[in-house]
C-alpha cells in the first residue's frame, strides 16, 4: 500500500458512514510519520446512533435467540475464514499502522484474530444452561441469556486481535456490539467491519465507531443502553471507565496494565529461558500488557544468563515493520517513545546499570521512525520506579534473588497482577511458585503464549474479568433462574 492514503468510514447500522460532525482524523505510520489513512472522528452523537442500532438489532430480531446459535456460529466461522483469506493485506496494514513487524502480524495477529472467531463459532452452540436438582415434582432451570448491547473499548497495541477478542464472544453469546478501536490504530477494526458486512451480519449487530477516547469512549462507557462494557487499556483510564459505567451499573471487564515477573531458577534450560526472556520483553517492542518487564534471576546463574541475554539482545534487528528480517519495529508515536526514553534517563540518572541499548538506533534509514534499541538495566531493588511502573516499551529491568521465597515476594511486590512466568525443571517448584504468583496468567517454561482457549485477564490493579476462552463467554451472558411447578398441588400459602 505504498504511498496510498486509505479513506475509511465508520460502520453503523449496516452502513459505512461519516461522523455526524463530518470531522476526520489521520492514522500516522510510526515508521516514517507519513499519513496512512483517514477515518471519521466520531463523537457522542455517533455513539448514540450506533447504540440505538445495536439495541434495535438485539430487541427487534431473533439474533440472540438460541435457535439462531448455529447461524451465529456459521457467520463467525465465515469471518474467521475471510480474515485468513485476506491475511497478507491485513498483516501489512496492521504492521504499518502499529509498527509491529510483518513477521509478527503475519504469523500471529491475523491468524489469532481468525482463530478467535473460529473458536467462538464453535462455542456459540455450546452455551448451555443447567437443570438444577429440585424435588421430583418441579423443574429448576438456570438459563444463560445474552445481555443486550455490549460496548468495547480497545488499546492500540493489538488492534485486530482485541477487536476479535471482544466482538467474537459477544456475538457467539447472542449480543450485539459497539466497538471503539484506539484512535492511533483504527485501520484493522474498520477492515474487520467490512468483513462483518460482507458475510451478511444483520444490520446493527456489529458497529464500529472511531474517534477519541474522551468523546467516543466516554459516551460508550456512560451510555444507559449499553449493558456491558469490555475495556482494554491503561489502569488510569480503567478507573475512569468504572466511574462512567456506574451510571446504569454496567457489567464491566477491565484488562489493564502490568509489570509482570519472569523468574528463572538455576536448574532451568538456560538457552530456552533466555529466548523466553527476550520474547517476554522485546516482542512487539515491549508494547505488551503482559510483557515480562521484570526478569528475576537466581544469583547462581545471574552472570551467565545476563551475558547471553545481552549478547542476543544486541543482535535483535530493529527495522522497518515491512522488512521480513526486522525483529523489532518502531514504537507507536514519537510521544510514546519520548515517554519510554524518560524512564531510560531516569534510570541512568539514578544509578541503575545500563547493560545494553537506551538510545534510538544510529541507522539513518530509521531516523524518521520512533525506533528504540532493546534496552536492559540491572537494578538492586524492586522498589525503584523502573521496576514498579509500566513502561510499555523495550526496557527490561533485571533483578537478582537467592531464595525461592524471595523470588515470590519480589514477583508479587507490584500493584499489578496480569501475568508471570517461572523457569525450572523441578516440577514441584514450578507449580509451587506458579500457584503463589498473584497474577491472572502464569506460564511454566514458556512466555507470551496467548490463545483463544486460555483465559486472559488480570488480578489486582491489572483489572478483572476475562478475555478469550469459555470464561469470557460467561462475561457476555447472564444467568436466569426459572422454577417450574409440575405438581399441580394446591399452592402452599401462609395467607387465607
Ligand atoms: P489508554 O487507556 O490510553 O486507552 C485505551 C482506550 O481507551 C483507547 O481506545 C482510548 O481511546 C480509550 N479512552 C481513553 N480515554 C478514555 C475515556 N476517558 N473514556 C473512555 N475511553 C477512553 O491505553 P493505551 O495507551 O491505548 O494502551 C496502553 C495500555 O493498555 C497499557 O497500560 C497496557 O498495559 C494496557 N493494555 C492492557 C491489556 C490487557 O489485556 N490487560 C492489553 C493491551 C494493553
Amino acid at each position: 500500500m505504498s504511498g496510498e492514503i486509505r479513506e475509511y468510514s465508520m460502520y453503523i447500522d449496516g452502513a459505512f458512514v461519516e461522523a455526524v460532525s463530518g470531522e476526520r482524523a489521520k492514522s500516522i505510520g510510526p515508521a516514517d510519520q507519513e499519513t496512512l489513512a483517514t477515518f471519521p472522528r466520531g463523537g457522542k452523537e455517533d455513539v448514540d446512533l450506533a447504540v440505538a442500532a445495536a439495541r434495535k438489532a438485539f430487541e427487534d430480531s431473533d439474533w440472540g435467540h438460541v435457535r439462531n446459535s448455529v447461524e451465529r456460529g456459521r457467520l463467525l466461522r465465515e469471518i474467521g475464514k475471510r480474515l485468513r483469506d485476506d491475511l497478507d493485506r491485513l498483516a501489512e496494514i496492521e504492521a504499518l499502522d502499529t509498527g509491529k513487524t510483518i513477521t509478527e502480524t503475519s504469523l500471529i495477529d491475523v491468524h489469532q484474530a481468525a482463530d478467535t472467531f473460529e473458536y467462538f463459532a464453535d462455542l456459540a452452540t455450546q452455551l448451555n444452561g443447567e437443570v438444577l436438582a429440585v424435588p421430583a415434582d418441579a423443574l429448576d432451570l438456570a438459563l444463560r441469556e445474552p445481555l443486550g448491547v455490549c460496548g468495547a473499548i480497545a488499546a492500540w497495541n493489538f488492534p485486530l486481535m482485541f477487536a476479535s477478542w471482544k466482538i467474537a464472544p459477544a456475538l457467539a453469546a447472542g449480543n450485539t456490539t459497539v466497538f471503539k478501536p484506539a484512535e492511533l490504530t483504527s485501520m484493522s477494526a474498520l477492515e474487520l467491519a467490512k468483513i462483518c458486512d460482507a458475510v451478511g451480519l444483520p444490520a446493527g449487530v456489529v458497529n464500529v465507531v472511531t474517534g477519541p477516547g474522551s468523546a467516543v469512549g466516554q459516551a460508550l462507557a456512560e451510555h444507559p443502553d449499553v449493558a456491558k462494557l469490555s475495556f482494554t487499556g491503561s489502569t488510569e483510564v480503567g478507573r475512569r471507565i468504572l466511574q462512567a459505567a456506574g451510571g446504569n451499573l454496567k457489567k464491566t471487564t477491565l484488562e489493564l496494565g502490568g509489570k509482570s515477573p519472569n523468574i528463572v531458577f538455576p536448574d532451568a534450560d538456560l538457552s530456552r529461558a533466555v529466548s523466553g526472556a527476550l520474547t517476554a520483553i522485546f516482542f512487539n517492542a515491549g508494547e505488551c500488557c503482559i510483557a515480562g518487564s521484570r526478569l528475576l534471576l537466581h544469583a547462581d546463574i545471574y552472570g551467565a544468563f545476563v551475558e547471553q541475554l545481552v549478547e542476543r539482545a544486541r543482535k535483535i534487528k530493529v527495522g522497518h515493520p515491512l522488512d521480513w528480517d526486522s525483529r523489532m519495529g518502531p514504537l507507536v508515536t514519537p510521544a510514546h517513545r519520548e515517554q519510554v526514553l524518560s524512564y531510560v534517563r531516569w534510570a541512568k540518572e539514578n544509578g541503575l546499570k545500563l547493560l545494553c541499548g537506551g538510545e534510538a538506533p544510529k541507522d539513518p534509514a530509521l531516523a524518521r521512525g520512533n525506533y528504540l534499541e532493546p534496552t536492559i538495566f540491572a537494578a538492586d531493588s524492586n522498589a525503584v520506579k523502573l521496576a514498579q511502573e509500566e513502561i510499555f516499551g523495550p526496557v527490561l529491568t533485571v533483578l537478582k534473588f537467592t531464595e525461592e521465597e524471595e523470588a515470590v515476594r519480589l514477583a508479587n511486590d507490584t500493584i499489578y497482577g496480569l501475568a508471570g512466568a517461572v523457569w525450572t525443571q523441578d516440577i514441584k517448584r514450578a507449580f509451587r511458585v506458579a500457584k503463589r504468583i498473584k497474577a491472572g496468567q502464569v506460564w511454566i517454561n514458556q512466555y507470551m503464549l496467548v490463545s483463544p482457549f486460555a483465559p486472559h485477564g488480570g488480578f489486582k490493579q491489572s483489572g478483572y474479568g476475562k478475555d478469550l476462552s469459555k470464561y469470557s463467554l460467561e462475561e457476555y451472558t447472564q444467568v436466569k433462574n426459572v422454577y417450574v411447578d409440575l405438581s399441580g398441588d394446591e399452592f402452599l400459602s401462609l395467607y387465607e
Side-chain angles (χ1 to χ4, degrees), residues 153-157 162 180-183 212-214 217-218 231-234 237 240-241 255-258 289 390 392 418 456:
I153 300 175
W156 45 260
N157 53 333
F162 291 154
K180 180 215 151 345
E183 56 272 50
S214 54
Q218 185 78 20
F231 173 76
T232 295
S234 60
V237 175
R240 258 179 270 158
I241 294 281
E255 302 288 355
L256 311 176
C289 54
E390 184 184 45
F392 223 57
L418 193 55
H456 168 81

Side-chain angles (χ1 to χ4, degrees), residues 8 34 40 51 103 148 158 162-163 185 194 198 201 212 215 221-222 297 314 334 341 358 391 450 456:
Y8 286 101
E34 296 290 334
V51 173
T103 306
F158 289 89
F162 291 154
T185 56
K194 291 184 198 170
L201 279 183
E222 284 174 352
L297 297 177
R314 286 204 174 108
L341 277 169
I391 300 174
V450 174
H456 168 81

Side-chain angles (χ1 to χ4, degrees), residues 120-248:
F120 284 106
D122 290 342
L123 286 192
T125 56
Q126 306 298 319
L127 200 59
N128 302 315
E130 266 187 295
V131 180
L132 304 173
V134 283
D137 58 0
L139 262 184
D140 195 312
L141 312 176
L143 305 178
R144 280 213 167 267
E145 296 192 345
L147 295 160
V149 179
C150 293
I153 300 175
W156 45 260
N157 53 333
F158 289 89
L160 185 60
M161 278 166 51
F162 291 154
S164 69
W165 292 12
K166 311 243 181 241
I167 293 173
L171 300 195
N175 302 285
T176 58
T177 65
V178 178
F179 180 76
K180 180 215 151 345
E183 56 272 50
L184 294 177
T185 56
S186 295
M187 292 168 74
S188 56
L190 293 168
E191 292 287 344
L192 179 63
K194 291 184 198 170
I195 293 178
C196 291
D197 190 66
V199 303
L201 279 183
V205 165
V206 168
N207 305 271
V208 178
V209 182
T210 48
S214 54
V216 175
Q218 185 78 20
L220 197 53
E222 284 174 352
H223 206 294
D225 289 341
V226 173
K228 183 218 155 69
L229 192 81
S230 174
F231 173 76
T232 295
S234 60
T235 297
E236 188 192 333
V237 175
R239 273 189 256 279
R240 258 179 270 158
I241 294 281
L242 207 51
Q243 279 176 355
N248 68 332

